[in-house]
Amino acid sequence: MYALVDCNNFFVSCERAFQPELEGRPVVVLSNNDGCVVARSNESKAMGIKMGTPFFKVKYLVDQGRLVVRSSNYTLYGDLSARVMSLLSEVAPKLEVYSIDEAFMNMDGVRDEDLPGICRDLIKRIRRWTGIPVSIGIASTKTLSKVANHFAKKYKGYRGVCVIDTDEKMRKALSLTPIDDVWGVGWRGAPKLEAAGIKTALDFVQRPVSWVRDRMGVIGVRTWSELQGIRMVEEEKIEKRKSICTSRSFANNISDLDELVLRVSDFAGKCAEKLRKEGTAAGTVGIFLYTNRFREDLDQYYPTATVNLDVPANSASEIISAALKALRYVYKPGYEYKKAGVVVTDIVDSDSIQQVLFGLDGQARERDDKISEVMDKVNTSGENLLRLGTQRPGHYADGIRREFRSGLYTTSWADLIEVR
DNA sequence: TCTGGGGTCCTAGGACCC
DNA sequence: TCTGGGGTCCTAGGACCC
């Protein structure tokens, strides 16, 4: 069986773990730049605030004292996530961390009748040791464990754990699950299915497989099978990532090339750091620029450009210079840019890199590796204290708005540096 | 005024080959 | 007038996830 563990309202719960006065109150957490709502407490959900709502649309509620708001504090969330995952790994024979707040425990080898008890104990332990409330859904496939998890969250009676382990329970659960709640059915697919008369997951599985394949392809068939207890979603392979992207929206529009050079350098430097952390190197460096698509009064421009490296690289200097080359290639003055990003692809293991004639010679590469190593040691907290000359100097000048951020409760030395 | 960020996989269509 | 057939590889874009 799979046990899907999902942290309840994760970012809000992290804030509450260190600010207990937020318990019971409507709370939302905002995206970067305080742009839009990315997490809601049950109370703010009940007020009708939707995921993704732009903050300016609910700001009046904050002004009226009816809603509490926090900027996102990813340093804190990442740290609490690691603590939760570590507790899960003590119980699960195999653990697949699926996202910052979610993990599949593969419980093969554990007796089915022991599962609910194990999971209830786990919930208590996680709550006591991290302050984070979690729910657990148990079933034979990942997609069904997602369904079970919804029920565990929704109905108090389950005390945090819902099990789907018989055909009757499966049928009942599917009949009570709206089609757009099914994992793998997105906001585009759901209306199509509803138009075909499919309202619930049960309606869906009652269609013949050929019907599903014609309309939804192999992905649809996978979901259709999983909902009936046939495992189709593979075990996560612990593979290196195939692409790495660092991008941000800007608090204010940027038109100036020099300003973009600083931001893009930062993104590229961050990509290089992520590559080194995984022990990989990238053969291609790409950048993209976006103007603000919501500003219909302004000219729009969404250019992309890529640069192929002669030899895959992961040093800040090489990734940054490639990214800047791409930037200068597509940059046009006269546009108001709202967002930019760097994407590195064609990723290989760094120890598999073969020297070729036109790459850096051995000495230069060795020097670059040493510089990178020093940067990684200093930049351990995730803050770019040490950068190359093209990167923006100064620690807090990353141009991201965080008006409502709480303290860095679990990583206090970073707090000290921020105060300096 | 103000609208997130980081991934994966699949598919259709074009380029190219014989 | 009439203009092959089959394969691979790559890329851009769409759809989905959190």
Side-chain angles (χ1 to χ4, degrees):
Chain A
M1 300 290 266
Y2 283 111
L4 171 63
V5 184
D6 195 314
C7 300
N8 302 346
N9 315 328
F10 182 55
F11 294 172
V12 168
S13 297
C14 290
E15 296 292 335
R16 283 176 170 170
F18 292 90
Q19 303 159 84
E21 68 276 16
L22 300 183
E23 283 302 335
R25 299 190 60 188
V27 181
V28 295
V29 175
L30 304 177
S31 62
N32 268 335
N33 289 314
D34 296 340
C36 55
V37 172
V38 293
R40 304 158 295 157
S41 68
N42 290 343
E43 298 78 8
S44 52
K45 285 177 189 170
M47 288 166 70
I49 297 171
K50 299 272 184 289
M51 188 74 172
T53 306
F55 176 54
F56 67 85
K57 290 192 178 172
V58 294
K59 188 167 180 297
Y60 74 98
L61 293 169
V62 178
D63 295 339
Q64 291 172 5
R66 295 162 58 198
L67 181 66
V68 179
V69 62
R70 291 287 179 269
S71 302
S72 43
N73 185 345
Y74 290 108
T75 310
L76 177 68
Y77 310 152
D79 194 58
L80 283 175
S81 172
R83 295 180 192 199
V84 171
M85 298 308 170
S86 143
L87 290 173
L88 300 186
S89 67
E90 291 174 7
V91 165
K94 260 196 287 181
L95 184 69
E96 294 176 33
V97 177
Y98 183 68
S99 72
I100 194 166
D101 73 330
E102 215 176 302
F104 290 100
M105 298 195 295
N106 182 328
M107 303 303 278
D108 289 350
V110 180
R111 290 192 313 177
D112 285 359
E113 56 267 37
D114 295 338
L115 287 176
I118 291 172
C119 288
R120 289 218 167 79
D121 289 345
L122 187 57
I123 288 175
K124 281 184 214 149
R125 199 174 325 135
I126 292 170
R127 186 62 189 256
R128 196 176 323 125
W129 292 5
T130 69
I132 303 295
V134 307
S135 304
I136 304 182
I138 301 172
S140 58
T141 66
K142 290 186 175 177
T143 308
L144 274 177
S145 71
K146 281 271 191 181
V147 172
N149 192 282
H150 279 299
F151 284 90
K153 273 213 176 66
K154 197 165 171 185
Y155 301 105
K156 284 260 182 287
Y158 288 111
R159 290 183 291 139
V161 180
C162 172
V163 189
I164 298 176
D165 56 355
T166 66
D167 282 354
E168 295 92 304
K169 286 187 199 170
M170 189 171 84
R171 217 186 141 75
K172 180 85 187 293
L174 295 185
S175 74
L176 293 171
T177 299
I179 190 64
D180 59 334
D181 277 358
V182 172
W183 192 45
V185 176
W187 64 280
R188 278 179 185 277
K192 285 186 198 162
L193 291 172
E194 280 158 10
I198 293 170
K199 293 194 169 49
T200 69
L202 185 64
D203 298 336
F204 180 59
V205 300
Q206 284 172 342
R207 297 293 168 115
V209 65
S210 56
W211 189 94
V212 175
R213 183 182 294 281
D214 287 350
R215 285 160 185 77
M216 304 173 67
V218 295
I219 302 269
V221 173
R222 196 165 77 181
T223 299
W224 181 86
S225 305
E226 281 253 325
L227 283 172
Q228 296 169 85
I230 304 159
R231 281 192 187 184
M232 301 283 281
V233 179
E234 289 178 24
E235 301 284 319
E236 171 191 283
K237 287 158 260 155
I238 312 191
E239 277 178 4
K240 315 273 185 177
R241 286 181 283 183
K242 293 168 184 168
S243 70
I244 290 173
C245 173
T246 305
S247 72
R248 293 287 181 280
S249 296
F250 309 134
N252 301 109
N253 293 337
I254 296 176
S255 298
D256 181 38
L257 178 60
D258 291 339
E259 184 76 12
L260 284 172
V261 164
L262 294 175
R263 301 305 179 87
V264 167
S265 298
D266 243 10
F267 302 156
K270 183 59 77 178
C271 284
E273 196 182 309
K274 292 176 183 172
L275 286 167
R276 296 194 294 271
K277 203 170 170 186
E278 293 217 321
T280 54
T284 303
V285 179
I287 71 129
F288 59 83
L289 299 173
Y290 291 161
T291 48
N292 188 340
R293 67 183 195 278
F294 296 102
R295 291 290 299 273
E296 288 175 7
D297 55 320
L298 296 178
D299 289 335
Q300 300 290 313
Y301 181 42
Y302 309 124
T304 64
T306 60
V307 168
N308 295 314
L309 303 174
D310 295 326
V311 185
N314 61 19
S315 70
S317 65
E318 283 173 282
I319 304 292
I320 289 173
S321 66
L324 293 183
K325 192 172 159 192
L327 170 65
R328 295 201 164 96
Y329 186 71
V330 291
Y331 170 80
K332 281 196 224 166
Y335 291 97
E336 305 261 329
Y337 298 99
K338 177 64 180 168
K339 180 174 178 175
V342 173
V343 190
V344 296
T345 50
D346 295 338
I347 291 176
V348 298
D349 280 338
S350 48
D351 54 18
S352 75
I353 298 172
Q354 291 165 7
Q355 291 296 339
V356 298
L357 191 59
F358 300 108
L360 281 173
D361 64 74
Q363 265 191 340
R365 185 162 275 260
E366 205 174 303
R367 189 203 57 191
D368 255 19
D369 285 347
K370 278 192 178 142
I371 295 173
S372 298
E373 198 184 319
V374 172
M375 289 177 64
D376 289 341
K377 275 188 182 152
V378 174
N379 293 338
T380 47
S381 74
E383 313 284 351
N384 283 351
L385 291 171
L386 188 55
R387 304 172 191 209
L388 297 184
T390 48
Q391 291 178 272
R392 173 179 276 271
H395 158 59
Y396 207 73
D398 63 2
I400 292 176
R401 188 184 298 128
R402 292 185 192 84
E403 205 180 321
F404 313 100
R405 206 195 64 182
S406 50
L408 298 168
Y409 301 107
T410 59
T411 46
S412 53
W413 76 269
D415 236 356
L416 283 178
I417 285 172
E418 194 174 309
V419 172
R420 79 196 157 132

